[in-house]
Amino acid sequence: MIKNQKPSGVHDLIAANNIRLPKPALSVSADNNPNAQTLIYAATEEPFASVPHARQTDVDQAVANARGAFEDGPWRKMPAAERSAILRNVSTLVKKHAEELALLQTLETSIPVQQSKSMHVPRTAENFTFFADIISGLAGESYEQTGRYLAVVTRDPVGVGVLISPWNAPLVLASMKLAAGIALGNSIIIKPSEYAPLAVLRLCELLEEAGVPRHVVQVVCGTGIEAGRALVQHPGVDIVGFIGGTETGKNIMADAARSLKKVGLELGGKSANIILNSADIERAIDGSLLGIFAGNGEQCLAGSRIMVENDVADEFISKFTARTKALRVGDPFQDDTEIGPMAFKAHFDRLLAFAETAQVDNSYKVHTGAQAASGFDSGYYFAPTVVETDSNQAELCQKELFGPFVTIQRIKDLDDGIKRANDNDFGLASYIWSNDLPSVMRARRELRAGTIWVNTPMTRDLRAPFGGFKQSGIGRDGLPGSIELFTEEKTTLIPQEPLLLPKLGSS
């Protein structure tokens, strides 16, 4: 493991990069406000900002504003071409402020800044462009099979939506649902993670600058237990979109069900990554490293359960472990950093607890890591970890660890790999590495996951649905799922000729 230079102090970092905190965030050296979240820079454990949390009255006002914007404002009544033009303006502004957005996201999440710049911000801009394109071409349906009637099917926006976005990739994941929701005419309230609200706050400032009318998009900051739950339970909210942990998703679904709100849930994952003898091993190693270690490993779709066929297992494990040991861990603002610190202390401590399990339980063989990264005086640095085990039922193979922590199992063949891959409560994604077409096609059919990646690390096509089986969620992002979540179908029946109606009550 290669350690980068010692991170700069957070206030020097903010000054050197001319980082402006978006409203309502305030710079702090310490904070005693019980109704605010103090943001901690994970690389040095220094406080650097304070973000006030919403009270119930703030939630009520936000919902009232959103409802007013939906019922009386111009947005939902605006021709699709005009909404599309504004969404393109948003995309242009995101690109114009790309550096600023990337720096804010890295400051609050410790995603390596090069990943924020090269992956997250461009994808955020693309989300708005994609839905700008889509709404320009949306069409309804018509039926006239009966001959007497023309049935016209159209879609209306639902109303007021609440999006609860996670801390691990705030720009991409918030913008994906946000772009879909407003493109289709809804008003949206975003509740970002209390650990990572800054980039989302700034993004929403850019939306208003781009021409999105006031109160069509609002941000409510706070914890999930308080602000999030108040929004989900609010009678003025029609839709809830959530990306995050499975247990929280279950609670949201239960709360939303009491008022029959529409719900879209993208939840946890424990994705299997199967490498067969027929794979290009060097490419499989490259892809598997990206699949688990990109984004500091803090991704629901990470390939966190590697299953490698026996004949190539020794070669794969040896090379994969050597590359893991060589990962550059350090200052997230250094361009050559590959793994930054974990986003916040509670999560770091959770990973250390899993690491201790790997160290003391004889059913695991630690190839590297399973401890805090060495050489750092402060910061939530976790050593990239490779652990081998024989049992898919082992705790570390079943729980979502959500960090740079991968388990490896040796498998007899594809049948064994598919069986183990499906033997888990989650089903968000799976990976298969093989140059044998029949093996790939059988894996595609039999793996119980919402997305199957073949000979590639994670990639997305926004036209295709993305979501999970089993405990990994309900509903889909992407084009068809977004239309389903954010619109209601309406059927209008029109007689095509005068009707001879029964004359009830006539003599």
Side-chain angles (χ1 to χ4, degrees):
M1 179 170 55
I2 302 169
K3 185 191 75 171
N4 285 338
Q5 66 184 36
K6 181 180 178 181
S8 302
V10 69
H11 298 291
D12 291 339
L13 177 68
I14 290 172
N17 289 278
N18 196 27
I19 299 175
R20 182 184 70 83
L21 299 180
K23 298 176 183 179
L26 303 171
S27 298
V28 294
S29 56
D31 180 58
N32 295 315
N33 183 351
N35 194 46
Q37 178 81 18
T38 298
L39 302 184
I40 305 296
Y41 181 46
T44 61
E45 302 180 48
E46 295 173 274
F48 68 92
S50 175
V51 179
H53 282 187
R55 299 179 174 87
Q56 182 65 52
T57 53
D58 301 315
V59 170
D60 292 340
Q61 187 61 59
V63 175
N65 291 343
R67 179 59 61 187
F70 179 74
E71 299 291 350
D72 305 321
W75 185 249
R76 74 180 174 95
K77 303 169 188 175
M78 189 180 292
E82 293 183 27
R83 286 204 307 270
S84 176
I86 292 173
L87 290 175
R88 292 184 195 284
N89 291 343
V90 175
S91 182
T92 298
L93 283 174
V94 168
K95 294 172 185 175
K96 179 180 177 181
H97 293 270
E99 179 87 4
E100 176 188 6
L101 290 167
L103 293 174
L104 282 171
Q105 178 173 272
T106 292
L107 185 66
E108 63 187 351
T109 65
S110 291
I111 294 169
V113 71
Q114 278 304 314
Q115 294 181 28
S116 288
K117 290 178 179 179
S118 65
M119 298 164 60
H120 293 248
V121 175
R123 173 61 189 279
T124 299
E126 182 188 350
N127 286 339
F128 290 99
T129 303
F130 174 79
F131 281 101
D133 291 341
I134 290 304
I135 60 173
S136 298
L138 279 182
E141 303 167 0
S142 65
Y143 305 95
E144 49 182 334
Q145 280 82 354
T146 65
R148 299 181 65 194
Y149 291 91
L150 175 68
V152 179
V153 181
T154 54
R155 285 188 174 269
D156 286 359
V158 180
V160 175
V162 165
L163 306 182
I164 302 176
S165 63
W167 51 263
N168 59 313
L171 282 171
V172 169
L173 296 179
S175 65
M176 183 166 48
K177 287 186 181 294
L178 172 61
I182 62 173
L184 294 165
N186 300 277
S187 295
I188 298 295
I189 301 169
I190 300 180
K191 205 296 286 182
S193 167
E194 63 270 31
Y195 295 107
L198 300 181
V200 171
L201 282 164
R202 182 64 182 128
L203 174 65
C204 291
E205 290 177 355
L206 295 178
L207 264 72
E208 191 163 339
E209 184 180 337
V212 176
R214 192 164 181 256
H215 294 150
V216 170
V217 176
Q218 299 171 89
V219 183
V220 169
C221 294
T223 65
I225 293 174
E226 295 175 348
R229 192 167 198 190
L231 286 165
V232 171
Q233 293 181 338
H234 201 288
V237 169
D238 304 301
I239 316 159
V240 179
F242 172 71
I243 303 174
T246 296
E247 292 308 312
T248 301
K250 292 177 181 178
N251 292 333
I252 286 172
M253 189 172 182
D255 284 340
R258 294 186 178 94
S259 52
L260 292 179
K261 293 177 171 64
K262 297 186 79 173
V263 174
L265 305 174
E266 184 189 319
L267 307 178
K270 191 68 177 175
S271 298
N273 181 14
I274 300 173
I275 294 102
L276 298 181
N277 296 341
S278 55
D280 179 329
I281 295 300
E282 295 301 326
R283 183 170 294 179
I285 290 168
D286 290 342
S288 298
L289 286 161
L290 286 168
I292 183 58
F293 295 126
N296 295 341
E298 295 167 330
Q299 301 190 76
C300 56
L301 44 71
S304 55
R305 284 188 299 153
I306 293 177
M307 300 172 182
V308 57
E309 202 166 3
N310 281 324
D311 288 351
V312 293
D314 287 340
E315 178 187 0
F316 179 92
I317 293 170
S318 175
K319 291 181 177 180
F320 184 89
T321 301
R323 292 273 296 278
T324 300
K325 290 178 178 179
L327 288 169
R328 291 183 290 276
V329 178
D331 182 354
F333 279 91
Q334 290 291 311
D335 285 346
D336 61 350
T337 293
E338 294 172 317
I339 302 280
M342 301 299 96
F344 53 95
K345 187 177 188 303
H347 182 53
F348 176 60
D349 290 342
R350 181 173 180 268
L351 282 172
L352 290 177
F354 288 128
E356 183 178 2
T357 297
Q359 295 284 4
V360 302
D361 189 331
N362 291 332
S363 63
Y364 302 105
K365 178 182 179 181
V366 177
H367 288 283
T368 188
Q371 60 186 359
S374 61
F376 296 95
D377 298 329
S378 61
Y380 309 134
Y381 291 97
F382 185 79
T385 298
V386 180
V387 171
E388 185 177 349
T389 184
D390 293 332
S391 173
N392 186 60
Q393 288 302 306
E395 177 188 15
L396 301 182
C397 293
Q398 290 294 315
K399 287 188 176 180
E400 184 178 33
L401 309 186
F402 214 71
F405 196 132
V406 66
T407 62
I408 295 182
Q409 303 171 55
R410 298 169 188 254
I411 57 173
K412 293 181 294 184
D413 51 26
L414 178 58
D415 287 337
D416 188 22
I418 291 173
K419 180 179 179 181
R420 292 181 188 229
N422 291 337
D423 185 18
N424 190 272
D425 289 337
F426 298 107
L428 187 58
S430 287
Y431 305 70
I432 175 74
W433 297 85
S434 171
N435 287 333
D436 177 61
L437 182 59
S439 295
V440 166
M441 297 306 290
R442 189 153 67 83
R444 183 196 65 80
R445 290 193 304 271
E446 297 183 15
L447 287 168
R448 298 282 295 164
T451 297
I452 311 298
W453 282 302
V454 177
N455 294 333
T456 181
M458 54 198 77
T459 186
R460 291 279 301 275
D461 184 332
L462 290 173
R463 292 164 294 188
F466 182 84
F469 289 22
K470 299 183 281 188
Q471 301 287 303
S472 287
I474 291 176
R476 295 291 187 267
D477 284 319
L479 179 57
S482 295
I483 293 172
E484 180 64 29
L485 180 62
F486 288 110
T487 65
E488 296 281 19
E489 286 186 302
K490 177 186 288 182
T491 299
T492 304
L493 291 161
I494 306 168
Q496 300 200 85
E497 57 188 43
L499 300 177
L500 296 175
L501 300 177
K503 297 183 179 297
L504 299 179
S506 63
S507 56

